[in-house]
Amino acid sequence: MPGTGDGPRIDLHTHSTASDGTLTPAELVRAASAAGLDVLAITDHDTTAGWSEAVRALPPGLTLLRGAELSCRWYGTEPAIPLHLLGYLFDPESPELVAELSRIRASREVRAERIVARLRADGVDVSWPEIRTSAAGGTVGRPHIAQALIRAGLVRTTTEAFRPEWLGERYRLPKEDIDVFRAVRLLRQAGGVPVFAHPRASRRGRIVPDRLIVELAAAGLAGLEADHEDHSAAEREHVRALAGELGLLVTGSSDFHGTHKTVRLGAHTTAVEAYERIVAGATSGVVPVTSVG
Ligand code: AMP
Ligand code: ZN
Ligand code: FE
Ligand code: FE
């Protein structure tokens, strides 16, 4: 349940305009403070571009955990399954990781432009320059295309835009994600702490088997996100039990995207013990930041 107990309120997964959220990093930290959060992680897709603005705008009393959500893929099955890894407190200048993130972002550009071309070939009036502009300088993603479909009057909501007849399947194209084992290794090498985001979110598409999570735990995965709006109650329980068996920490978070999603900041939260394990696990010298005002 959100906000259980009297401990600090900790939300470890949110997006800003550095990727597909609708609040700027400065607006995001202010909104987090206004929502009564004590700790917020900024975890934009495949980028650390929002970090410095978030630090500069940090309101007194809020602690910021710097992170990112990496677009990964598990190649152990055919076709490979896409998945997301949250990385916390890694060195943002670690060369191999920087190179991988920039490669993924470049692939996102190509893929989004191809999705738009496919829509246009079917007579759908959306424009790549307009979508690219709407993403500003941030990591472009399908939510930006979803907004164009809404502007064109073809769907009413982002959720509708992700239905199979639109971005969910018909106009879904793969991007060049990073191999998930390589991602765990690169995050650890950069002194960061990897957590598997929404590992059982079956409503989003195919999910990976537990045996992969067992292997990832042996390879350096630190935790699993259990409380997430895309997990049913049974899925949350399953994730928690698996984490218990494997000695992994468990997080809960909103995966806030501003108006691109309906979920609110702090809708799910993480226990302070899990947060402390994440902080203790980082070896990069990147630490949580608290503004003293
Ligand atoms: P992309 O990273 O471009 O593949 O787009 C994936 C992003 O789209 C996710 O991070 C979510 O923000 C959003 N998304 C994925 N599935 C859905 C869905 N069913 N409804 C709404 N948003 C979704
Ligand atoms: Zn997103
Ligand atoms: Fe995700
Ligand atoms: Fe996310």
Side-chain angles (χ1 to χ4, degrees):
M1 289 298 289
T4 46
D6 305 318
R9 298 190 66 225
I10 302 170
D11 188 342
L12 294 185
H13 180 172
T14 68
H15 296 267
S16 77
T17 50
S19 64
D20 55 4
T22 58
L23 299 187
T24 64
E27 289 166 345
L28 176 64
V29 291
R30 283 184 219 121
S33 181
L37 290 175
D38 299 290
V39 181
L40 176 85
I42 180 170
T43 54
D44 279 303
H45 295 286
D46 309 312
T47 187
T48 59
W51 285 15
S52 56
E53 182 184 321
V55 169
R56 279 196 307 274
L58 202 59
L62 180 68
T63 296
L64 180 74
L65 203 62
R66 288 165 285 179
E69 185 173 21
L70 273 57
S71 303
C72 302
R73 211 164 272 258
W74 177 49
Y75 291 95
T77 188
E78 185 58 44
I81 298 179
L83 59 121
H84 291 168
L85 270 195
L86 294 159
Y88 297 106
L89 299 173
F90 56 87
D91 172 6
E93 290 175 3
S94 177
E96 263 188 278
L97 190 55
V98 166
E100 278 298 272
L101 295 183
S102 103
R103 187 183 61 79
I104 299 171
R105 290 195 305 272
S107 155
R108 282 175 164 280
E109 297 284 327
V110 174
R111 170 246 212 174
E113 193 170 359
R114 283 178 57 214
I115 292 176
V116 170
R118 223 179 244 206
L119 284 162
R120 292 181 62 86
D122 287 349
V124 178
D125 186 20
V126 287
S127 135
W128 168 241
E130 190 184 307
I131 290 166
R132 183 55 269 186
T133 304
S134 76
T139 304
V140 73
R142 283 180 290 161
H144 297 111
I145 304 174
Q147 289 309 302
L149 294 174
I150 294 171
R151 287 195 296 274
L154 293 159
V155 297
R156 277 165 307 158
T157 62
T158 306
T159 308
E160 236 181 279
F162 272 89
R163 291 237 278 259
E165 59 270 37
W166 294 105
L167 302 170
E169 204 174 302
R170 172 129 176 63
Y171 298 98
R172 176 182 193 155
L173 292 177
K175 54 190 186 315
E176 287 168 30
D177 302 319
I178 175 172
D179 176 280
V180 64
F181 287 96
R182 180 166 160 77
V184 167
R185 189 161 50 76
L186 292 185
L187 282 169
R188 285 293 194 186
Q189 195 177 297
V193 180
V195 172
F196 195 153
H198 44 74
R200 297 287 287 190
S202 54
R203 61 185 70 155
R204 282 190 183 206
R206 289 175 307 146
I207 53 168
V208 301
D210 286 352
R211 68 176 173 86
L212 171 69
I213 296 177
V214 174
E215 285 178 35
L216 288 173
L221 184 72
L224 302 176
E225 189 178 56
D227 290 322
H228 184 283
E229 64 156 1
D230 290 347
H231 283 163
S232 68
E235 287 166 341
R236 287 172 205 189
E237 261 330 294
H238 181 90
V239 171
R240 235 185 284 282
L242 185 61
E245 281 168 37
L246 298 173
L248 298 175
L249 62 89
V250 167
T251 66
S253 39
S254 64
D255 200 357
F256 177 74
H257 278 71
T259 57
H260 281 171
K261 281 192 182 175
T262 53
V263 73
R264 311 235 301 246
L265 276 166
H268 301 289
T269 53
T270 297
V272 69
E273 295 77 16
Y275 166 68
E276 283 168 354
R277 271 178 75 180
I278 291 174
V279 174
T283 58
S284 60
V286 177
V287 294
V289 190
T290 306
S291 161
V292 287

